[in-house]
Amino acid sequence: QVQLVETGGGVVQAGGSLKLSCTASGRTFSMYAMGWFRQAPGKEREFVAGVSRSGDTVYYADSVKGRFSISRDNAKNTVALQMNSLKPADTAVYYCAADWTPISSTRVRTEGYDYWGQGTQVTVSS
């Protein structure tokens, strides 16, 4: 089916930056809206950012607006999350997710995603 692999996590100081990437298998990447989620120890998984099938619509959690940027390259089956001005509260395992989306829709959802990657750890020190 759809396999997703995240890379780019690491340890950074507060105020620093990281760029995460997610690569999807198959030839139907453009059928899916894509999202990034994160889960900190003892916390529930939360939505971070999403991008529509075409890449023209994006949506961010309030906690990351102005700091994070999501983008996709359908020719390369990739979605990226550029994270700037990182805070210790951003520390979490970050997951890439795929959401099958009707061709006529530009929707970006915060839940209901169909496929998930294995996650990549982001640690922000202070």
Side-chain angles (χ1 to χ4, degrees), residues 50-63:
V51 59
S52 65
R53 289 176 54 150
S54 69
D56 291 335
T57 304
V58 296
Y59 183 69
Y60 299 96
D62 288 343
S63 59

Side-chain angles (χ1 to χ4, degrees), residues 10-27:
V11 181
V12 298
Q13 289 186 324
S17 297
L18 281 175
K19 187 174 183 178
L20 308 182
S21 63
C22 172
T23 301
S25 66
R27 301 182 179 93

Side-chain angles (χ1 to χ4, degrees), residues 51 68 73 85:
V51 59
F68 290 11
D73 186 338
S85 301

